[in-house]
Amino acid sequence: MTSDTETKTASPPKANAGLVLLLCSGATFMAFLDLSVVNIAFVDILADFPGTQSSTLTWVVSGYAVTFAAFLTPAGRLADTLGRREVFLGSLLGFTIASLVCGAAPNPEVLIGGRVLQGAFAAGMIPAALGLLIQHIPFENLIKAIGTWSAVGGFSAVVGPIVGGVLVDAFGWRSVFYVNGPVGAVLVLGTFAALPRIHPPAGLKHPDLLGSLILVLGIGGVVAALTEGENWGWTDPRTLGLLVGGLLLGLAALLRSRGHEAPAIATKLWASSRFAVCNLASLIFGVAMFAWLLTGPLLTTQVWRWSIMESAGALSIGAVVSMFASVAAGRVSDPARHRWVIATGSLLFAACNAMMASDLFGTEPRFWDAWVPAAILGGAGLGLGVTALSAAAATALPPLQFAAGVGMNMTARQLGGALGIAGMAAILTAGGGTGAIDAFHDVYLACTAVAVLAAIVAVMLPAPATAEQ
């Protein structure tokens, strides 16, 4: 995400550390909030475009995840070469404009296109924000500042359902995008006024934007094949062409990255077997996590017929539990114990999905004896799993590669999320759509199996002493 050549002795122009943290945290909050609020708004989006397949509209979620995942690593390199303030400002401005495009979208194509752009600009905001913290926060306060910044990203998931529910209920789904307009404008003006321009060191290699584009097309092809395969037919030439073409482009991006000085995929980090296994676990965990997060509001509104606000309140239970579980996982300072925390979180999440795949979740709503215990299990599993995976990724690498490691781990989770949303869409379509409870059971059963697989991979995580540093 950022350069591996940070030093304690660098003396950039001074900026107010508290204001830097506020601006960076605000941008990060906005980027991650747009992942969670769209889940609750998705139901209204479906209703507003009745002629469009629900599987196609899942691109509103997965399109964001695809470009976010593919551009995160090169965006960090771009921030190092062009200047972190400049990339941060440009990404903030682009994200704000893309949000307004989404809010004004007259059709699904424009909405999906806007979400793709949002994801790309969000990928620029996150590493640039982390780089600005490293650049402007005194070294003795840096770890605490990064911890606060990370917590803000997690907090956005907690308040996302409530914020989204209130906005959608009062003003409609477009408001979840329009609200980014004034917030983004304040952040842009604050950054422009408060942060000094610092010229980056000469000689740094620019990121491989061609490789990043190949990666986006590869991931997008696979996701499109999974999303539309049930509608087109799994043996349809379009489905097979997208699937095979996407896999070949992904392989090409991977091979290109191995020989590039500033690659789209930081394959050199995988020299640490601990880090490589951690990324695999993150990808697998992301598949189940993203599918579960989007399926919840669809179940409560389409099958149980709860209102948007009732659904938002119910979804907040798991989000709040996740926050407390994240705090608990963050207190595990021994890297050797991370694999057990990840495995525990994955199994709790698997238990949640197994419960939701059972007859406890039928056509009639059951709040106290079904939804609440499942939400507690799911929230605890997500909080433990995501936090411990991030910690394991960071501790698997030397300190100077901390930022790059966190970024690659985030990329893996977003990539898994894009695949998870596509798989969810295919399963729901095959099972009869969003009104059929059996289709939801199939999704939750698949999520159960994927979460168990994540737990198995987590147990295989090498101990820190055997990780190649």
Side-chain angles (χ1 to χ4, degrees):
M1 288 170 73
T2 60
S3 172
D4 297 339
T5 59
E6 302 290 346
T7 69
K8 301 180 193 179
T9 57
S11 300
K14 296 294 183 182
N16 183 285
L19 187 55
V20 172
L21 179 58
L22 179 63
L23 292 168
C24 292
S25 297
T28 301
F29 180 84
M30 189 166 63
F32 283 107
L33 186 70
D34 263 50
L35 278 172
S36 56
V37 297
V38 171
N39 289 336
I40 197 69
F42 189 76
V43 177
D44 265 28
I45 295 173
L46 279 174
D48 221 21
F49 300 116
T52 306
Q53 291 276 356
S54 60
S55 58
T56 301
L57 280 175
T58 59
W59 274 98
V60 174
V61 181
S62 58
Y64 188 101
V66 166
T67 50
F68 190 103
F71 285 119
L72 194 63
T73 296
R77 176 71 67 167
L78 195 65
D80 289 338
T81 55
L82 297 184
R84 291 158 184 175
R85 174 182 179 270
E86 285 63 41
V87 171
F88 186 69
L89 267 173
S91 299
L92 260 176
L93 184 60
F95 186 90
T96 304
I97 293 172
S99 297
L100 298 178
V101 169
C102 290
N107 54 55
E109 292 76 18
V110 173
L111 176 59
I112 292 169
R115 286 290 286 170
V116 168
L117 289 175
Q118 267 193 316
F121 286 119
M125 291 195 309
I126 302 304
L130 180 56
L132 287 170
L133 292 178
I134 294 172
Q135 203 165 48
H136 291 288
I137 303 292
F139 184 78
E140 60 273 15
N141 297 326
L142 183 58
I143 298 301
K144 183 178 179 180
I146 291 177
T148 301
W149 173 76
S150 300
V152 166
F155 181 66
S156 67
V158 175
V159 301
I162 290 295
V163 171
V166 170
L167 288 173
V168 173
D169 187 62
F171 307 108
W173 66 265
R174 296 179 187 274
S175 62
V176 303
F177 299 112
Y178 281 138
V179 74
N180 290 335
V183 175
V186 169
L187 291 172
V188 167
L189 292 173
T191 301
F192 187 80
L195 298 188
R197 181 176 185 183
I198 300 174
H199 295 284
L204 293 177
K205 298 295 183 181
H206 287 288
D208 182 14
L209 295 180
L210 176 59
S212 302
L213 179 60
I214 294 172
L215 182 61
V216 166
L217 293 176
I219 298 172
V222 173
V223 171
L226 294 175
T227 302
E228 301 293 349
E230 189 63 35
N231 294 322
W232 294 343
W234 294 105
T235 58
D236 186 280
R238 293 173 294 178
T239 304
L240 295 176
L242 283 170
L243 182 60
V244 174
L247 290 173
L248 289 175
L249 285 172
L251 179 60
L254 186 64
L255 293 175
R256 180 180 174 90
S257 293
R258 294 182 64 183
H260 201 280
E261 292 181 278
I265 308 170
T267 55
K268 291 181 180 179
L269 298 180
W270 295 341
S272 163
S273 58
R274 177 175 169 84
F275 182 76
V277 173
C278 183
N279 273 256
L280 177 60
S282 290
L283 187 147
I284 296 170
F285 194 83
V287 170
M289 180 179 78
F290 274 65
W292 184 78
L293 288 173
L294 181 55
T295 307
L298 289 174
L299 170 68
T300 56
T301 57
Q302 302 295 292
V303 178
W304 287 359
R305 300 300 175 184
W306 286 354
S307 69
I308 290 293
M309 284 306 298
E310 287 173 331
S311 298
L315 293 168
S316 297
I317 297 171
V320 171
V321 172
S322 175
M323 180 180 67
F324 285 105
S326 295
V327 172
R331 291 177 176 171
V332 179
S333 57
D334 181 3
R337 295 172 58 192
H338 285 152
R339 62 176 173 176
W340 301 114
V341 179
I342 299 166
T344 300
S346 299
L347 291 176
L348 287 173
F349 191 54
C352 159
N353 280 279
M355 188 175 179
M356 296 181 80
S358 73
D359 291 337
L360 279 172
F361 282 73
T363 55
E364 296 298 321
R366 297 174 64 171
F367 182 70
W368 290 108
D369 63 339
W371 182 269
V372 170
I376 292 173
L377 286 172
L382 289 184
L384 293 175
V386 171
T387 304
L389 280 165
S390 297
T395 57
L397 298 169
L400 289 178
Q401 293 180 327
F402 168 81
V406 172
M408 178 64 86
N409 187 253
M410 194 181 298
T411 296
R413 187 165 65 246
Q414 294 292 324
L415 174 56
L419 297 174
I421 295 295
M424 181 214 74
I427 294 172
L428 283 180
T429 301
T434 57
I437 188 62
D438 288 343
F440 284 95
H441 285 168
D442 292 341
V443 172
Y444 291 128
L445 193 60
C447 287
T448 302
V450 172
V452 170
L453 179 59
I456 293 172
V457 173
V459 173
M460 297 167 58
L461 191 68
T466 64
E468 297 85 346
Q469 302 291 324

